[in-house]
Structures are given as C-alpha cells and as structure tokens.
Amino acid sequence: MSDTVIGIIGGSGLYDISGLEGAEWVQVDTPWGAPSDQFFTGTLDGVKMVFLPRHGRGHVHTPSSVPYRANIDAMKRLGVTDLFSLSATGSFREEMAPGDFVIVDQFIDRTFAREKSFFGPGCVAHVSVAHPTCPRLSDAAETAAKAQGITVHRGGTYLAMEGPQFSTLAESKMYREQWGADVIGMTNMPEAKLAREAELCYASIAMVTDYDSWHPDHGEVDVTKIIQTLMGNADKGRGLVARLPGLLGAERAPCPHGCDRALEFAILTQPDNRDPEMVRKLDAVAGRML
C-alpha cells in the first residue's frame, strides 16, 4: 500500500479548487520546461491534493501551447498517483447536452503541433494506450458526479482537435457521423498518452458546453453561451472534485488495471545504449524502470 495523492488538471473555467487544508501554490521545475502554472496543493479529507490550471491562471495558454510534458512530469514529481482531467468539450450527441458531464474512455487524436512522448532517440519506449483511461478512477468520477447531482454519461469517445478554431460544419458532421466520436475538445491529447507513459492512472471528465456545429437547431458555436455554461460546469466540477478523496481513500493499492506498471516491458533501448541526457530527463517519469 502507498499514500493516495490525487492530481487534478482543470480545464477552461476551472482555475482553482476550494476547501483544501494547508493550501499553497508551489513552483515545480522540470527538465521539460515550465508547467502551465504553479500547483495548488493541500489536503482534503486526509488525502493530499494537487491542482493545476491547464491554461494557467488568467487563461494564458492556447491548447497548442500548453506544456503537456512539463505538466505531467511535475505531477509525477509531486507524488501524484491518480490524475483526473476536467475539460470543456462540445457534444456530438443529442443526449449529451450542455451542462452534462461525460466520463471519457476512448480518444481519437487529431492533434499535430505537439510533442507527444517523453521518450525519443537514445531511449525508445512504446506503451499501450488501447484503453487510455483507468476504469477505477472513472468509477470514482461517475460516483462523485451522481452524488453531486450532475447528469453524467459513462463512456464516450473524445475527438482531440488541434484548434484553436472550432470545427467547420463538414468536420463536425464527419466526426459525428463517420467517425463515431461523442465529444470534441482540444486538450486531452497528448495529455492522456503522457500520463500513461508516466505510469499515472488517468481519468477524463468532459464537461459539455455546446453542440459543436453539427446540430441543426443550434447552429455554429456561440462563444457567449459557451462561457455561461462553462461557469456553471466549473462549479459542478469543484463539487465533483471535493468528493474524490472520500471515494479513493488515503491508502492506495496497486492499480488493478496495470496503469502504474505501463512501462514494465515498454522500454526497448538497451541500458548500454541509452543516452545519459535522456535518462536524466526521465528521472521522474520513468525512474522506476531506469
């Protein structure tokens, strides 16, 4: 058994969490550069919590400029064991309405301008992301959402687009009708892939703000309406987060799904051939194996 440390990455509109004891903002340096912001740390119901506003306080990072590798590396350095992502999304499904939450279990990655791995020349690794989220954490997120009175949908495919523009109508219809995506956002990739490489259990909670551009009765994305829904979703998200420590508990057993052992057979470069500089940069992410 080990201590549970819950990490929260808050998306658009969610820049802090309330109720933490001993709360403080702390700076974390990483070999991958500066994270999005300082980390808000403290304890809640006896469980250590670590919160990061993905876009930075004041929303200074675009989806493409978010320093995803630094964010995940810093979470690992702070001892996080279980990472929850909350993010604003559009919906491709009538029943997944603005104000609803979706517990995502699959992704389609359409991003192209981001570094997607901690590994590279000098230390090559291939992890499986066939099932990119942790069912144990998804169970906790669903339970917390229902207890908070949130309309929540369990299971959904998140289409990650590069942005920062929203979809064209043609793209929106293709993602919905041909590709079978359920929600669309700009930030969960490569975040989920990096969390897996860092052997972190990861759950994605999509907070629906709009119907993208496919819906015949809603037309194109209306940013004013999105912001109104965003603020309501952020309040719901804070309530959901506050329930997680009580559900996960202060002591943590190994993940039954193996998320915390994802690198067990993933690193292919032989020890004698590993680049020492790469190994140094991987000290937090892959230190268990290296």
Side-chain angles (χ1 to χ4, degrees):
M1 303 288 284
S2 61
D3 292 338
T4 298
V5 181
I6 298 174
I8 306 292
I9 299 180
S12 300
L14 190 57
Y15 304 114
D16 58 38
I17 54 177
S18 54
L20 293 189
E21 298 176 7
E24 62 175 339
W25 287 95
V26 299
Q27 182 70 40
V28 181
D29 297 322
T30 87
W32 312 96
S36 294
D37 204 328
Q38 293 180 314
F39 291 75
F40 193 51
T41 67
T43 59
L44 192 62
D45 295 337
V47 178
K48 186 176 179 182
M49 303 282 285
V50 176
F51 173 82
L52 176 69
R54 184 186 284 112
H55 297 279
R57 285 167 287 180
H59 205 107
V60 296
H61 282 290
T62 72
S64 299
S65 75
V66 169
Y68 295 98
R69 292 192 295 185
N71 290 350
I72 298 298
D73 178 280
M75 284 285 184
K76 190 79 172 181
R77 289 181 191 279
L78 289 169
V80 167
T81 56
D82 300 289
L83 182 59
F84 292 85
S85 160
L86 289 88
S87 55
T89 63
S91 169
F92 293 128
R93 304 295 158 207
E94 187 90 46
E95 66 275 15
M96 295 177 178
D100 292 2
F101 284 17
V102 181
I103 310 300
V104 172
D105 59 1
Q106 284 295 327
F107 296 98
I108 299 172
D109 187 359
R110 290 283 289 165
T111 65
F112 54 82
R114 311 171 189 189
E115 293 289 345
K116 300 191 180 188
S117 178
F118 290 109
F119 297 91
C123 194
V124 177
H126 301 278
V127 299
S128 172
V129 286
H131 301 285
T133 62
C134 178
R136 181 177 61 90
L137 297 196
S138 296
D139 287 345
E142 180 184 19
T143 301
K146 288 179 176 177
Q148 193 63 23
I150 298 167
T151 300
V152 60
H153 306 269
R154 178 64 182 266
T157 296
Y158 178 122
L159 188 291
M161 65 184 297
E162 187 64 47
Q165 302 85 358
F166 295 113
S167 306
T168 67
L169 175 59
E171 289 169 336
S172 190
K173 291 172 71 174
M174 178 181 72
Y175 298 149
R176 165 181 150 83
E177 296 168 9
Q178 275 79 52
W179 290 18
D182 299 298
V183 295
I184 183 168
M186 302 179 188
T187 57
N188 273 200
M189 283 291 166
E191 188 177 270
K193 290 177 177 176
L194 295 168
R196 179 57 53 83
E197 287 189 344
E199 298 189 321
L200 291 173
C201 291
Y202 179 87
S204 171
I205 303 160
M207 306 182 293
V208 177
T209 60
D210 59 89
Y211 280 117
D212 203 51
S213 56
W214 67 271
H215 201 297
D217 298 329
H218 292 269
E220 63 188 47
V221 174
D222 183 327
V223 176
T224 304
K225 291 181 180 177
I226 284 180
I227 291 173
Q228 292 174 350
T229 307
L230 202 63
M231 294 303 105
N233 282 351
D235 289 338
K236 294 177 185 175
R238 289 187 191 93
L240 184 158
V241 166
R243 295 178 182 274
L244 294 174
L247 291 168
L248 293 179
E251 291 191 339
R252 182 183 186 278
C255 174
H257 309 285
C259 303
D260 51 10
R261 301 179 297 283
L263 292 176
E264 203 85 345
F265 304 103
I267 299 174
L268 300 187
T269 307
Q270 296 302 302
D272 290 346
N273 298 106
R274 292 172 186 165
D275 178 357
E277 178 60 19
M278 275 290 293
V279 171
R280 183 191 67 79
K281 293 176 72 173
L282 291 163
D283 65 331
V285 169
R288 188 182 73 87
M289 296 301 298
L290 296 174

